Amino acid sequence: MRTVAIINQKGGCGKTTVAINLASALAAENKKTLLVDIDPQGHCAVGLAVPEEQIEQSIYDVLISSRRGEPVKPTEILWEIGDNFELAPASIDLAAFEQQTNGVTDRENCLKDVLKTVEQDFDYVVVDCPPAVGILTFNAIRASTDVIVPVETGYFSLHGLSRQLDTLSVLCKQCSQHINVMVLASMYDIRTKMGREILADLRKHFSGRMFQTVVNFNTKLKEAASLGQPICEYDPASRGHKDFQCLAQELIATDTMVEPKQIASAIQKTEPQTQIVEKSQDRKEIVKNFDDKLDAISSSAQELMASLNEPQPKTRAKIMRDIDGRLNDFYGTRQFGGAVKFVTLYPRARSVQIAGDFNNWQPQQTTMKPAQDGKWELALTLAPGKYRYRMVVDGQWQQDPYNEQVEMNPFGEFNSVLEVK
Ligand SMILES: Nc1ncnc2c1ncn2[C@@H]1O[C@H](COP(=O)(O)OP(=O)(O)OP(=O)(O)O)[C@@H](O)[C@H]1O
Ligand SMILES: [Mg+2]
């Protein structure tokens, strides 16, 4: 069984789109596939038309009970999506996983242990991760044989990439299994010169650590998600579908290169007396191999950034225009002088408000304004100080998914924390 985690701490770079459509394309290639959503936002269920209100138990229940007396089996929470294709949905409770497992030993291995119990049932597990690095993403890394980092082909995504890969490198160095990390160019718009230049740079710098397949920007993918269908059902003739078919085939083509089985069989072939020594040597080599690979990817990202920071005179103006155009392309909170801008992404929400100690927890006074592509924005003037707030999405109170600074509130939930300087 190959476990592929889709990771990028940048919000909205296409993780869930990749996770859903890669999983369904693998299933179409006759691979028994499980899609596991570990993002508290629960977008996989939304994107596959699984009714949220009817999800009684989610991956949260499976993970949290895995360290208790009566574990909930993964099979108890699965939703059949299609032939060879099942979903383990997430729920908002996952946002409390980190806090609830405080002090629990080995909590970073919950997902790994859970997936071991279904090892015989699936060929592939695809894990959709939240846009944050925390214990949930670390669980995904510990459980994985492969990590796919989707990268938007835009200037700001490259900025994030270098930092992201550094973090990933630190996390992966703490693992004892081999992980194959690959960059995937996503939301590629061939019509823009900027897109083409950045893809060429990515290819030059990441070469063997990048998928040949590129996921093009394709509005059919957006439409498919909003109708709760994978692209292979919604529009099999679309470019989006072809891209994911190619991606699945490219991944499957490397099946024989995946180590765990080979290593396991190599270890079994050794004499019992030498087994332990061989095993630890193997492991050391694997970890070193992986470290080298990550270091190389990470320094490639830095080199790439450096080359973009010194653009050719011809492209500088274009890059600056792109930067201007994308200045608002961030999610979370950012301070501009005395104002704080909140930006979040809820493509399917009808209303998004903010309630915090700065407005007496009255969300009606601070309704966010819908912007393009499911974005919501609001600028507030706040005096310097520390504030706590929550997002109110269609009446549901939740923590800001793009702010890693949180504090527990008296109701056992998390408030997001903001410091205005
Ligand atoms: N290749 C693509 N072409 C067109 N639209 C896309 C593509 N990939 C993603 N999108 C759209 O971009 C938005 C963000 O994508 P998605 O939800 O997959 O990102 P994400 O990284 O999972 O976000 P988050 O970090 O919030 O989990 C969605 O509206 C999605 O439909
Ligand atoms: Mg997502």
Side-chain angles (χ1 to χ4, degrees):
M1 188 175 81
R2 251 174 117 172
T3 302
V4 185
I6 316 296
I7 301 181
N8 191 332
Q9 67 206 56
K10 181 176 184 294
C13 63
K15 292 180 289 295
T16 304
T17 306
V18 170
I20 289 178
N21 293 296
L22 173 61
S24 89
L26 287 165
E29 296 288 328
N30 249 340
K31 299 286 179 190
K32 288 196 188 114
T33 306
L34 168 64
L35 173 60
V36 177
D37 189 357
I38 57 158
D39 182 353
Q41 298 179 100
H43 285 168
C44 287
V46 182
L48 289 167
V50 169
E52 212 181 325
E53 64 285 357
Q54 289 190 30
I55 299 174
E56 284 173 7
Q57 286 191 305
S58 76
I59 192 72
Y60 165 80
D61 301 280
V62 176
L63 293 177
I64 206 89
S65 67
S66 68
R67 295 288 179 271
R68 294 184 183 156
E70 283 181 21
V72 175
K73 292 198 195 93
T75 43
E76 291 177 49
I77 63 147
L78 298 188
W79 286 68
E80 189 184 351
I81 304 297
D83 288 350
N84 296 326
F85 186 10
E86 310 226 22
L87 168 71
S91 58
I92 191 73
D93 323 339
L94 268 179
F97 181 78
E98 177 134 24
Q99 183 271 326
Q100 287 178 350
T101 54
N102 234 335
V104 172
T105 42
D106 216 20
R107 63 177 178 156
E108 63 278 8
N109 283 325
C110 292
L111 182 62
K112 186 178 178 173
D113 295 345
V114 161
L115 291 182
K116 246 188 218 141
T117 66
V118 292
E119 210 166 25
Q120 301 307 319
D121 305 327
F122 295 99
D123 300 310
Y124 273 90
V125 177
V126 177
V127 187
D128 186 22
C129 293
V133 173
I135 191 70
L136 290 169
T137 299
F138 197 31
N139 259 270
I141 293 174
R142 297 296 291 240
S144 292
T145 50
D146 300 75
V147 166
I148 296 181
V149 186
V151 178
E152 255 182 279
T153 41
Y155 185 84
F156 272 100
S157 40
L158 295 180
H159 255 299
L161 182 60
S162 170
R163 203 189 52 214
Q164 152 80 12
L165 290 169
D166 282 345
T167 319
L168 201 54
S169 164
V170 170
L171 288 179
C172 292
K173 278 177 184 169
Q174 296 167 28
C175 299
S176 53
Q177 83 275 23
H178 171 90
I179 307 174
N180 185 35
V181 184
M182 293 287 277
V183 169
L184 170 69
S186 77
M187 297 199 204
Y188 174 56
D189 187 352
I190 194 168
R191 292 167 307 168
T192 66
K193 190 156 179 272
M194 167 66 70
R196 294 196 298 275
E197 279 166 2
I198 288 184
L199 181 64
D201 272 331
L202 280 172
R203 284 226 188 283
K204 199 165 83 203
H205 284 80
F206 292 98
S207 56
R209 295 174 296 271
M210 187 171 164
F211 283 102
Q212 278 302 316
T213 307
V214 165
V215 177
N216 287 277
F217 187 90
N218 183 240
T219 45
K220 297 285 179 192
L221 287 167
K222 226 182 235 297
E223 289 167 19
S226 62
L227 291 172
Q229 289 181 331
I231 191 68
C232 62
E233 273 175 33
Y234 176 68
D235 190 348
S238 65
R239 177 122 205 205
H241 178 232
K242 290 198 181 95
D243 290 344
F244 280 104
Q245 238 178 354
C246 290
L247 182 64
Q249 286 164 2
E250 196 178 336
L251 192 65
I252 291 168
T254 58
D255 270 356
T256 50
M257 288 154 63
V258 171
E259 296 71 10
K261 274 185 198 153
Q262 293 170 356
I263 292 160
S265 57
I267 290 167
Q268 271 157 24
K269 275 181 211 149
T270 58
E271 294 299 314
Q273 306 92 295
T274 57
Q275 195 163 323
I276 293 164
V277 180
E278 290 281 330
K279 191 173 175 177
S280 75
Q281 275 173 352
D282 261 341
R283 190 165 287 163
K284 256 191 209 147
E285 204 162 290
I286 291 162
V287 174
K288 179 165 183 323
N289 200 322
F290 181 57
D291 278 0
D292 293 348
K293 211 183 254 180
L294 265 175
D295 284 345
I297 295 186
S298 189
S299 54
S300 297
Q302 272 153 16
E303 258 176 48
L304 179 54
M305 279 308 301
S307 72
L308 285 174
N309 283 335
E310 291 162 15
Q312 301 300 311
K314 254 185 168 175
T315 55
R316 183 192 292 271
K318 276 209 176 302
I319 289 178
M320 292 321 288
R321 274 209 299 281
D322 189 59
I323 292 170
D324 283 346
R326 301 186 66 124
L327 250 185
N328 288 330
D329 191 11
F330 74 92
Y331 299 97
T333 59
R334 193 173 284 182
Q335 200 177 338
F336 296 98
V340 175
K341 188 157 186 190
F342 294 77
V343 182
T344 189
L345 184 76
Y346 288 104
R348 291 163 201 90
R350 287 181 302 280
S351 99
V352 183
Q353 299 166 313
I354 303 175
D357 40 16
F358 44 77
N359 66 1
N360 247 340
W361 299 96
Q362 301 298 314
Q364 305 82 342
Q365 299 172 12
T366 40
T367 297
M368 297 185 83
K369 294 187 185 62
Q372 270 189 333
D373 297 331
K375 255 190 182 183
W376 296 78
E377 303 177 341
L378 182 68
L380 295 177
T381 309
L382 298 174
K386 188 172 175 184
Y387 299 96
R388 286 136 200 102
Y389 68 96
R390 303 196 85 202
M391 298 282 178
V392 185
V393 183
D394 292 337
Q396 303 248 354
W397 290 55
Q398 49 191 269
Q399 76 183 79
D400 179 350
Y402 299 101
N403 184 351
E404 286 164 35
Q405 305 273 358
V406 287
E407 254 179 25
M408 184 78 135
N409 66 26
F411 311 106
E413 293 165 325
F414 285 104
N415 290 336
S416 301
V417 176
L418 165 69
E419 281 208 70
V420 180
K421 300 214 167 84

